[in-house]
Amino acid sequence: MQTDSSFTFVLFGGTGDLSMRKILPALYEAHRAGGMLADSGKIVAVARHLADRAAYVDWVNEHVKPHVSKNGVDETAWASFLDRIEFVKIDLGNPEDFTLLRDALSGRPGIRVFYLATGPSLFVPICRALASVGLNENSRIVLEKPLGYDLKSSNAINDAVGEIFAEEQIYRIDHYLGKEPVQNLLALRFGNVLFEPLWRREWVESIQITIAEELGVEARGDFYDNTGALRDMVQNHLLQLLSIVAMEPPHSMDSDSVRDEKLRVLRALKPIDPRDIGKVAVRGQYHAGVIRGSAVPAYATEPGVKQDSNTETFVAVKVEIENWRWAGVPFFLRTGKRLADRVAEIVVNFRAVPHSALGTSALRGGANRLVIRLQPNETIRLYCLAKQPGEGMNLASVHLDLAFDRFFREGQMEAYQRLLLDVINGRLALFVRRDEQEAAWRWVEPILNEWAAANKPPKPYAAGTWGPAAASAMLAQHGTCWLEEEN
Ligand code: BG6
């Protein structure tokens, strides 16, 4: 991925958590790899409470360095990375300060990238202040999630930002789209003939998509308590994964071909009838429990969380897609904090053979199954039935494993690194277009509204388990179970 296009990467929220853990480490990795960033490219951090560049560099050394490179820091590369960094002290509450930024950026070659690693309430004021000093030309803007709280607030942000930047200038990040295995899902589906003929209602019985976390809400209790799992994970990451699993083959990999196909899926999601919410959506909240041998506290006692909080930390939901390929196939989506394992995976359960001459085990759905594991380790596992050795014809489940780290030992790229390089190089395919985001909110909103109106506490689950029993009961109604419940 060579580039010679110069850039100035302006980082708002330059001393925030995201800059510290993800953005600056990703830029460092791209720098260290060599050839990915133009030599003349600069990073301009914007912050209010540090005095000058020297203070910012001290901050980067202290806070960012511990987050870079699992394999240790290359000190030479680190020193030359620091040379790329500049600093402009701006009080975001004071739009006049933006003249300082304009002066600092004036006359530079190449594209300007404005990365808003700030709370969403600052998106519009920053965009307006940039426009007031003419910085919205020849530039791209990157917006982090959460982009709004519901359809209305997300539209308000998109409308206001859209008055200043054209849609082609706006890069809405969903970091799941930057993960290597998610890219690989596209390769698996559209680079092979093997799966595509089976990838439809005639052969697929059900699909599960799980993003399970062991972590709790960490230092984000206040934010999370006003957000909940449906907004934090389902509206964006899970529906994006669903759209990639279910989309039609795009005409090409250019950004609008891919996003058009994802949008068609999001628009075809069967609206949820509020009367059915209890049957198709489960919300839970973790109580105290044990994870990997250590006691962990209840959600309601986490800092920043209201003691009587009704916020969900777990969601399982059944989704249907109203088109010819998928009509009638349930997609079960699930996510939660403080679950038994950290795992993100997609499970495609194929139908049973129509007739078995080999006994009843071949008539069981899910005997053929594809499990695409996105993290922690990227693997694809294909389950089949085979004859057990010995007398008689007894079938047993066996599997073929594809472990990507055995094939490709090098070159794995973190999601943020890939996405930041895409922004700098003007590739929009892995960013969420406004219409996709709206379609996702439109589908999610009736669930949010119904839950808010009912005002019932979420179902409790002990930390370190797989969530409330109701999530298992929901699948049992369809004669199936979550993957970890098999056998
Ligand atoms: C973020 C959510 O978008 O994704 C977090 O806000 C969540 O709550 C995180 O922990 C999970 O991402 P990953 O890449 O660690 O699976």
Side-chain angles (χ1 to χ4, degrees), residues 22 144-146 174-176 179 211-213 215-218 220 223-224 227 231-233 236-237 337 342 344 375 415-416:
K22 298 286 184 191
E144 262 293 336
K145 71 177 266 284
D174 182 312
H175 77 280
Y176 263 74
K179 289 186 188 256
I211 304 179
E213 297 185 85
L215 288 179
V217 291
E218 307 301 293
R220 301 193 306 157
F223 157 78
Y224 194 89
T227 305
R231 289 188 178 90
D232 189 43
M233 300 294 286
N236 33 65
H237 306 323
K337 300 240 177 241
R342 173 177 182 253
Q375 56 191 37
Y416 270 91

Side-chain angles (χ1 to χ4, degrees), residues 313-374:
T313 60
F314 174 97
V315 177
V317 61
K318 181 189 134 193
V319 183
E320 286 181 76
I321 300 174
E322 293 184 305
N323 62 20
W324 273 44
R325 188 187 280 263
W326 294 117
V329 177
F331 286 71
F332 299 106
L333 312 187
R334 170 177 67 158
T335 186
K337 300 240 177 241
R338 291 286 193 224
L339 295 183
D341 204 356
R342 173 177 182 253
V343 63
E345 66 190 4
I346 297 162
V347 180
V348 182
N349 286 316
F350 292 95
R351 293 190 189 281
V353 293
H355 163 76
S356 172
L358 302 171
T360 53
S361 47
L363 290 171
R364 200 164 47 89
N368 290 147
R369 162 181 297 150
L370 191 66
V371 179
I372 303 161
R373 177 166 278 209
L374 310 176

Side-chain angles (χ1 to χ4, degrees), residues 176-428:
Y176 263 74
L177 292 180
K179 289 186 188 256
E180 190 83 51
V182 177
Q183 304 291 292
N184 227 337
L185 184 55
L186 291 167
L188 178 84
R189 281 201 59 200
F190 305 130
N192 297 289
V193 292
L194 213 53
F195 302 109
E196 198 50 28
L198 304 179
W199 211 257
R200 56 192 66 247
R201 66 187 304 281
E202 288 81 359
W203 301 107
V204 173
E205 193 171 68
S206 67
I207 293 185
Q208 300 172 14
I209 308 180
T210 293
I211 304 179
E213 297 185 85
E214 286 180 21
L215 288 179
V217 291
E218 307 301 293
R220 301 193 306 157
D222 189 28
F223 157 78
Y224 194 89
D225 208 33
N226 289 304
T227 305
L230 194 68
R231 289 188 178 90
D232 189 43
M233 300 294 286
V234 179
Q235 188 273 341
N236 33 65
H237 306 323
L238 275 168
L239 288 184
Q240 283 292 326
L241 288 182
L242 169 81
S243 62
I244 289 181
V245 171
M247 71 197 261
E248 295 300 315
H251 150 73
S252 76
M253 290 312 282
D254 84 65
S255 54
D256 278 334
S257 300
V258 174
R259 300 190 300 177
D260 286 348
E261 295 305 340
K262 287 197 294 153
L263 176 65
R264 284 195 184 103
V265 174
L266 293 167
R267 287 197 173 149
L269 298 181
K270 185 175 175 181
I272 289 196
D273 182 337
R275 287 166 304 187
D276 289 340
I277 293 270
K279 282 189 241 151
V280 299
V282 175
R283 62 197 300 260
Q285 187 188 91
Y286 64 81
H287 285 204
V290 176
I291 295 195
R292 298 198 185 273
S294 301
V296 296
Y299 172 73
T301 64
E302 300 273 17
V305 173
K306 290 185 280 313
Q307 268 178 8
D308 58 350
S309 171
N310 273 351
T311 300
E312 78 284 353
T313 60
F314 174 97
V315 177
V317 61
K318 181 189 134 193
V319 183
E320 286 181 76
I321 300 174
E322 293 184 305
N323 62 20
W324 273 44
R325 188 187 280 263
W326 294 117
V329 177
F331 286 71
F332 299 106
L333 312 187
R334 170 177 67 158
T335 186
K337 300 240 177 241
R338 291 286 193 224
L339 295 183
D341 204 356
R342 173 177 182 253
V343 63
E345 66 190 4
I346 297 162
V347 180
V348 182
N349 286 316
F350 292 95
R351 293 190 189 281
V353 293
H355 163 76
S356 172
L358 302 171
T360 53
S361 47
L363 290 171
R364 200 164 47 89
N368 290 147
R369 162 181 297 150
L370 191 66
V371 179
I372 303 161
R373 177 166 278 209
L374 310 176
Q375 56 191 37
N377 46 344
E378 185 184 1
T379 52
I380 295 183
R381 181 169 276 195
L382 179 62
Y383 288 85
C384 308
L385 289 179
K387 181 189 170 302
Q388 265 179 0
E391 209 191 355
M393 179 56 91
N394 297 318
L395 301 185
S397 179
V398 293
H399 52 255
L400 292 164
D401 266 341
L402 256 183
F404 288 94
D405 55 357
R406 270 192 252 145
F407 285 93
F408 308 111
R409 286 181 194 279
E410 282 172 12
Q412 289 275 341
M413 203 184 263
E414 288 292 326
Y416 270 91
Q417 186 179 339
R418 169 175 296 101
L419 294 174
L420 296 185
L421 289 170
D422 279 2
V423 179
I424 290 169
N425 293 303
R427 294 185 287 255
L428 274 158

